[in-house]
Amino acid sequence: ARALEEAYGKDRFVFLRGNFGNLRHLLDTENATRELLHSGVDAIVFDLGVSMMQLSKAERGFSFRPQLNGPLDMRMDQHDQKSYTAAELINVIREADLVKILRDYSDEAYAQRIAYKICEARRREYIQSTKQLADLIREAVPKKKYSRIDQATKTFQALRIAVNNELVELSDGLRQATQLLIPGGRLVVLSYHGVEDKLVKR
């Protein structure tokens, strides 16, 4: 984003930091974008989920790969002092609520077993790293013989969505985007799993 801003100048590209749910507020923070609140927007693109840049940094806590072991964070904005980390969530949440998060946000078939395993483990020690959590999930979920998908994939997705309140942010963002578009304007949403897809198509 910074490279685009430098290449094209602020009159053509403006970098604004925030969530989808703050779309209107973000446009209102810069003179260059404030007029769009009144004139309307030709097109809006939402690219959901996490980027490879985020996944490849161990300190962000998004990856379950052993070589990227790091603090169990998962916050999109680590500067937000009001937000909580994935570690803070899984070490205090009720088992039933954890089951619901895993089922609702990732359709995890082994949600009950994973939640039980996590709650059992945290009684012995605080779960604070991505490797700790991933290992617990792999102990709880049987490995499918021919599958290349790691057993921790769905749980990490569900916790990331919960930590960042992603579905609420997306819902608010979609509503604001449709209000901002001019007649005939286009809204494009790139979603990468069924939970997001269902919300977008509603």
Side-chain angles (χ1 to χ4, degrees), residues 98-108 111 114-115 155 158:
L98 182 54
V99 171
K100 181 171 173 55
I101 284 175
L102 298 181
R103 285 178 176 161
D104 290 354
Y105 295 164
S106 67
D107 297 319
E108 174 56 73
I114 294 169
T155 297

Side-chain angles (χ1 to χ4, degrees), residues 75-127:
R75 291 172 298 168
M76 291 292 188
D77 185 356
Q78 292 180 310
H79 299 288
D80 184 358
Q81 299 301 315
K82 295 179 181 178
S83 62
Y84 53 82
T85 67
E88 290 168 335
L89 174 65
I90 66 168
N91 280 285
V92 299
I93 191 172
R94 291 173 59 246
E95 184 175 332
D97 292 333
L98 182 54
V99 171
K100 181 171 173 55
I101 284 175
L102 298 181
R103 285 178 176 161
D104 290 354
Y105 295 164
S106 67
D107 297 319
E108 174 56 73
Y110 295 96
Q112 189 73 59
R113 290 172 64 169
I114 294 169
Y116 175 79
K117 190 75 174 179
I118 289 171
C119 292
E120 181 186 46
R122 75 189 187 192
R123 283 194 283 269
R124 298 190 301 270
E125 62 176 342
Y126 191 84
I127 303 168

Side-chain angles (χ1 to χ4, degrees), residues 2 8 21 29 32 52 56 91 103 109 114 125 128 149 161 176 178:
R2 292 294 183 192
Y8 296 104
T29 59
M52 189 54 66
S56 63
N91 280 285
R103 285 178 176 161
I114 294 169
E125 62 176 342
Q128 59 186 345
I149 300 174
I161 290 173
Q176 293 175 46
T178 55

